[in-house]
Amino acid sequence: MADGSTKRANVSPDGQFTIETGQLAADDVLAVKITAKNSGYTKDSASVDVTVTQATDTNPLANYTVAQPVVDVASAGDTTVTGKVDLTTNPATKQARLLKRRLCCQTEHLKLLK
């Protein structure tokens, strides 16, 4: 660890491991190695250095095309605004298309701007 401490974890029968580290900071350099054990003997693998990268905040709607609403005529005295939106608008990417399928069955937020 960056502070000089050592963390340990077991390796599963299929070779997977997860090391609980606590919160990592960008640019920390971690050294990871495997230790084999058999009948009281141990042997370490070569160490692999891993530099922690800056986390990126990705917007799942970045490539999604949001359809413009069609709003019905609103008259003085009305207490509601009605309209509809075309939910079949093709999003820009396959990933967004999957997102649209999840959204199509939900009531979406309608913003009324004055």
Side-chain angles (χ1 to χ4, degrees):
M1 299 292 300
D3 64 3
S5 64
T6 299
K7 304 288 183 176
R8 299 180 190 280
N10 292 323
V11 177
S12 70
D14 66 353
Q16 299 292 313
F17 60 88
T18 300
I19 304 170
E20 297 293 331
T21 62
Q23 189 168 6
L24 300 171
D27 299 322
D28 281 353
V29 178
L30 310 174
V32 180
K33 67 179 177 180
I34 301 298
T35 301
K37 293 182 180 182
N38 188 357
S39 300
Y41 296 96
T42 63
K43 183 173 183 178
D44 290 340
S45 71
S47 181
V48 174
D49 288 344
V50 177
T51 301
V52 178
T53 59
Q54 182 66 43
T56 57
D57 184 20
T58 57
N59 179 352
L61 298 175
N63 294 320
Y64 185 78
T65 302
V66 179
Q68 188 173 11
V70 176
V71 181
D72 299 329
V73 174
S75 300
D78 287 350
T79 59
T80 61
V81 174
T82 60
K84 70 179 201 172
V85 63
D86 179 7
L87 296 178
T88 62
T89 301
N90 289 329
T93 67
K94 185 174 185 179
Q95 179 181 7
R97 197 170 306 130
L98 294 174
L99 180 59
K100 181 188 78 66
R101 288 187 187 135
R102 280 188 265 140
L103 293 176
C104 73
C105 300
Q106 300 176 9
T107 302
E108 292 305 305
H109 298 284
L110 175 67
K111 288 184 181 178
L112 180 61
L113 305 175
K114 289 188 176 184

